[in-house]
Amino acid sequence: MSTRPVLEVKDLDVHYGLRRRRRRALHEVSLSVAPGETVGIIGETGSGKSTLARAALGLVPVSAGSIVVDGEDVSSYGHRQWRTLRRRGVIQYVFQDPLRSLDPDLTIEASLAEPLLIQGMSRGEAAVRVRSFLSRVRLSEDLLDRSPAELSGGQRQRVAVARALVTEPRLIILDEPVSALDSANRVQILQILKELRGDGVALVFISHDLGSVAGVADRIAVLYQGELVEAGAARDVISRPRHPYTRLLVSSAPTLHSAPAERAEREALRALLHA
Ligand code: ATP
Ligand code: MG
C-alpha cells in the first residue's frame, strides 16, 4: 500500500467574512494523515475544528496554504472540481447531525446506494454492496425501506457511517460524530470506528471531547484559537501534554488518568489560558 499521505494540509489560513468583518478562523495549520491512520482533532468550541473539516472538503475558501488529497493538489480547485472530487468518493464525511446529512425523502436503501449510482454502479451491484456494509455498522436489513425519520439517532448515525464507507474511500472526515448520541450509542459508534482501522481507510475524527478521541485515534492534534498547538502520538499527548490547553483537557477528562488531577492546577491552567 502507498504510504503517500491521504491528506496533507500545509500552512492553512481560513478567514470568514468580508472587509471589516473579516475574521481569521485558522492560522498556519499543518497536518498530514497517512493511509489507514486515525487522527483525532480536539479543541474547544470555536477553535476551528469544523472549519478545518470544511476546508479539507472544499466547503470553505482557503486564504493561504495548500491542501493535497491523495496526492492531488486541490488548493486552487473551484466548486465544480471539488464536487467532482467529492463524487469520486475518495474522501467522505460524517457530520454531527445525521438528520442533516441524510436526505429525508429517501429510504435508507436509496441513501446508501446513491453515492454508488453516481459513480456509475448498476442498481443490482449497489444493492449487494449496500447490504454488505450494513452488517459492518450493525444494522439489520429490515431498516432499508424506512426513512431517516423512522430511525433512532444512533441508527441514523450508523447509516451515515455506512454511507461514508460504501464508496471505499481513502479518507473519512467525521465532525463530532458521537456528540449528539447517548452513551450506549456513542460506545457502539466508537467501536465501529476502531474496527475500521484494519481496513486501510484513514479517519479524521473531530471532537471537543478528549475522552471520545483517546481510545480511537493513533495521533491527536490539538487546535486552540485557530492554531494547531500540539500534535503527536495519542499516548504521548495524553501522558505528556505540552501545551497548557492540552494539559487542561487531559486533567479535565476523568477517565484518562488514574490519580485525580489537582483542582488547583486545573484552576491555575484555566486562569492562564483565559488571561
Ligand atoms: P464547535 O466545537 O462549537 O463546533 P469549532 O471548533 O468547530 O467549534 P468552527 O465552527 O470551525 O469551530 O469555528 C471557528 C471560528 O470561525 C469561530 O470563531 C466561529 O464563530 C467562526 N465561524 C464559523 N463558521 C463561520 C461562518 N460561516 N461565518 C463566520 N464565522 C464563522
Ligand atoms: Mg464544529
Side-chain angles (χ1 to χ4, degrees):
M1 190 163 55
S2 156
T3 53
R4 178 178 76 191
V6 285
L7 176 67
E8 208 168 9
V9 167
K10 270 210 191 106
D11 299 326
L12 193 70
D13 277 27
V14 173
H15 290 81
Y16 288 112
L18 294 171
R19 291 186 284 276
R20 284 172 56 196
R21 301 186 52 188
R22 190 169 147 95
R23 297 273 181 283
R24 191 172 69 193
L26 290 179
H27 183 52
E28 292 186 354
V29 170
S30 296
L31 182 76
S32 174
V33 182
E37 185 182 36
T38 298
V39 177
I41 296 180
I42 53 166
E44 62 189 357
T45 180
S47 58
K49 304 180 299 294
S50 296
T51 302
L52 180 56
R54 285 186 218 124
L57 291 161
L59 302 174
V60 290
V62 160
S63 29
S66 67
I67 304 173
V68 177
V69 174
D70 205 21
E72 194 170 329
D73 189 339
V74 297
S75 318
S76 57
Y77 271 19
H79 283 298
R80 291 199 14 211
Q81 285 169 299
W82 267 110
R83 204 175 57 194
T84 309
L85 181 76
R86 286 193 298 265
R87 285 187 164 190
R88 275 187 11 226
V90 172
I91 178 164
Q92 292 287 9
Y93 50 89
V94 173
F95 293 133
Q96 174 169 357
D97 178 5
L99 263 188
R100 279 175 53 197
S101 53
L102 297 172
D103 186 331
D105 298 327
L106 292 184
T107 62
I108 300 309
E109 170 141 40
S111 260
L112 291 173
E114 191 182 44
L116 299 170
L117 300 177
I118 287 172
Q119 289 187 345
M121 194 178 265
S122 74
R123 285 190 182 278
E125 279 176 298
V128 173
R129 174 81 72 92
V130 162
R131 280 160 182 76
S132 78
F133 276 91
L134 269 187
S135 58
R136 298 271 296 277
V137 296
R138 304 196 198 21
L139 286 178
S140 135
E141 289 187 17
D142 302 346
L143 302 181
L144 282 175
D145 57 2
R146 297 205 203 159
S147 72
E150 295 169 318
L151 300 185
S152 73
Q155 286 170 330
R156 278 198 287 267
Q157 195 57 301
R158 278 180 277 161
V159 171
V161 171
R163 191 175 195 272
L165 284 171
V166 285
T167 59
E168 301 187 320
R170 307 266 295 143
L171 173 68
I172 306 178
I173 297 180
L174 305 106
D175 190 357
E176 305 275 7
V178 297
S179 304
L181 303 178
D182 62 32
S183 63
N185 277 306
R186 185 174 302 176
V187 168
Q188 278 217 11
I189 294 276
L190 293 175
Q191 183 56 35
I192 290 164
L193 297 181
K194 256 192 215 176
E195 287 167 15
L196 294 177
R197 281 219 285 225
D199 292 4
V201 57
L203 306 178
V204 170
F205 177 7
I206 294 171
S207 178
H208 63 273
D209 173 33
L210 181 59
S212 296
V213 166
V216 180
D218 303 306
R219 280 195 304 132
I220 291 179
V222 182
L223 268 179
Y224 183 66
Q225 297 182 348
E227 299 189 31
L228 215 133
V229 294
E230 180 154 3
R235 210 177 308 116
D236 297 342
V237 170
I238 290 163
S239 62
R240 288 190 298 278
R242 280 175 300 185
H243 191 271
Y245 176 63
T246 321
R247 295 218 296 273
L248 178 65
L249 277 178
V250 171
S251 72
S252 315
T255 51
L256 290 177
H257 43 85
S258 41
E262 291 298 327
R263 193 185 157 83
E265 193 203 345
R266 258 207 313 272
E267 290 311 315
L269 285 166
R270 241 184 256 282
L272 184 69
L273 283 161
H274 294 113

